[in-house]
């Protein structure tokens, strides 16, 4: 088996602009955490996706990181993590305004595979619903169909595989020279690391930008936040209700801002401008 090719991970800096104190800009203090594993490999994926499936020209972007440990892997948005740390440090300086993240494609989800053992934990940190949520579910059993078709990605020969998962059909390209059954988001279980993944309509496209075998292991951090426990389906219902029936959402939920007061209808209306096109449809 050939050696891993070490690629320099290029992290795109956060673009920010100053504005008056805005309750719609959400963040969370990530200074408290526990280390649940140590990563020996780090992969960076560029996610290109559509918030509005009817506007294919309006693409959103995120830079997402997969940390692979011996037992657990962690997955998160680098933009979102950097922004959370930045705002907390900024507010400590007693400013009456703080910059808002310009990468509006940054995901609020943190995913931990095989945590607890045999399950995965999804934390929705500082979400647009003005709170942080958490749920556990069984690791998905993906019925991959491996196809005799190949392409080269980052100098690795990758093989094609297809799968249907929660309402979408996906195409993956995995590298058998990297025998790690993992990949972006909740995908894995192939005889090699997934370097590219997309749904059949190209509404969600993950492309590996670089990977590194870490000389010094990096901690996989589980943030100790005041989460609201929920289920995947209940959280999805809350997002759908928020986007489609705001009055009903406010009638059934106590939604508070980062600053501890109820969100106004005007603030919620601003968030409503973001269409609802989740990666998981079921």
């Amino acid at each position: 088996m050939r050696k891993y090719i070490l690629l320099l991970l290029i992290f795109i800096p956060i673009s920010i602009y100053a504005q008056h104190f805005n309750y719609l800009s959400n963040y969370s203090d990530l200074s408290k955490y526990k280390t649940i594993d140590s990563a020996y490999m780090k992969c960076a994926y560029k996610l290109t996706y559509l918030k509005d499936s009817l506007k294919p020209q309006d693409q959103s972007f995120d830079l997402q990181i997969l940390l692979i440990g011996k037992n657990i892997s962690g997955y998160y948005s680098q933009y979102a993590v950097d922004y959370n740390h930045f705002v907390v440090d900024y507010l400590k300086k007693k400013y009456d305004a703080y910059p808002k993240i310009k990468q509006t494609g940054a995901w609020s989800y943190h995913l931990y595979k095989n945590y607890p053992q045999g399950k995965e934990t999804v934390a929705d940190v500082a979400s647009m619903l003005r709170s942080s949520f958490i749920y556990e579910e069984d690791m998905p059993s993906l019925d991959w169909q491996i196809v005799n078709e190949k392409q080269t990605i980052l100098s690795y020969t990758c093989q094609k595989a297809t799968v249907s998962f929660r309402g979408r059909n996906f195409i993956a390209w995995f590298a058998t020279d990297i025998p790690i059954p993992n990949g972006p988001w909740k995908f894995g279980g192939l005889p090699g690391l997934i370097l590219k993944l997309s749904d059949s309509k190209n509404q969600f496209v993950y492309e590996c930008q670089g990977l590194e075998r870490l000389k010094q292991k990096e901690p996989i951090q589980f943030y100790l936040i005041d989460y609201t426990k929920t289920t995947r389906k209940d959280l999805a219902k809350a997002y759908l209700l928020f986007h489609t029936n705001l009055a009903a959402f406010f009638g059934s939920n106590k939604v508070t801002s980062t600053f501890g007061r109820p969100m106004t209808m005007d603030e919620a209306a601003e968030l409503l401008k973001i269409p609802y096109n989740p990666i998981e449809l079921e």
Side-chain angles (χ1 to χ4, degrees), residues 23 36 45 49 162 188 204 206 260:
Y23 292 107
I36 57 177
Y45 293 91
Y49 71 103
T162 62
F204 293 85
Y206 298 84

Side-chain angles (χ1 to χ4, degrees), residues 12-65:
I12 305 170
I14 289 180
S15 298
I16 52 179
Y17 60 92
Q19 62 173 27
H20 294 296
F21 225 51
N22 185 345
Y23 292 107
L24 296 180
S25 298
N26 206 9
Y27 70 93
S28 188
D29 188 348
L30 304 182
S31 61
K32 295 181 181 180
Y33 61 87
K34 62 180 179 180
T35 298
I36 57 177
D37 204 346
S38 297
Y40 64 86
M41 178 167 283
K42 187 174 189 176
C43 310
Y45 293 91
K46 177 185 177 182
L47 169 60
T48 305
Y49 71 103
L50 301 182
K51 291 180 179 177
D52 188 343
S53 61
L54 300 179
K55 297 181 179 180
Q57 72 280 6
D58 294 340
Q59 296 179 327
S60 296
F61 304 94
D62 196 10
L63 181 66
Q64 302 186 342
I65 304 301

Side-chain angles (χ1 to χ4, degrees), residues 219-235:
I220 297 176
Q221 299 174 348
F222 180 83
Y223 297 107
L224 302 178
I225 298 171
D226 185 17
Y227 296 106
T228 298
K229 291 186 177 181
T230 185
T231 66
R232 177 180 64 84
K233 290 187 176 181
D234 283 346
L235 185 58

Side-chain angles (χ1 to χ4, degrees), residues 1 9-10 39 109 150-151 157 192 220 248 250-251:
M1 183 182 299
L9 291 175
I10 302 176
Y109 294 109
K150 298 181 180 180
Q151 68 168 275
T157 299
I220 297 176
F250 270 81

Side-chain angles (χ1 to χ4, degrees), residues 79-134:
Y79 290 151
V81 168
D82 288 347
Y83 178 68
N84 277 283
H85 286 305
F86 175 82
V87 171
V88 171
D89 290 342
Y90 199 87
L91 292 178
K92 287 179 180 179
K93 299 177 182 179
K94 307 299 181 182
Y95 290 107
D96 62 355
Y98 67 95
K100 181 180 178 182
I101 188 169
K102 195 172 182 179
Q103 269 81 8
T104 55
W107 278 25
S108 56
Y109 294 109
H110 294 244
L111 169 66
Y112 304 92
K113 294 176 182 174
N114 201 38
Y115 182 75
Q117 187 174 0
K119 295 181 178 293
E120 59 188 16
T121 296
V122 179
D124 190 7
V125 177
S127 75
M128 65 183 298
L129 300 184
R130 321 309 290 166
S131 186
S132 295
F133 301 89
I134 194 166

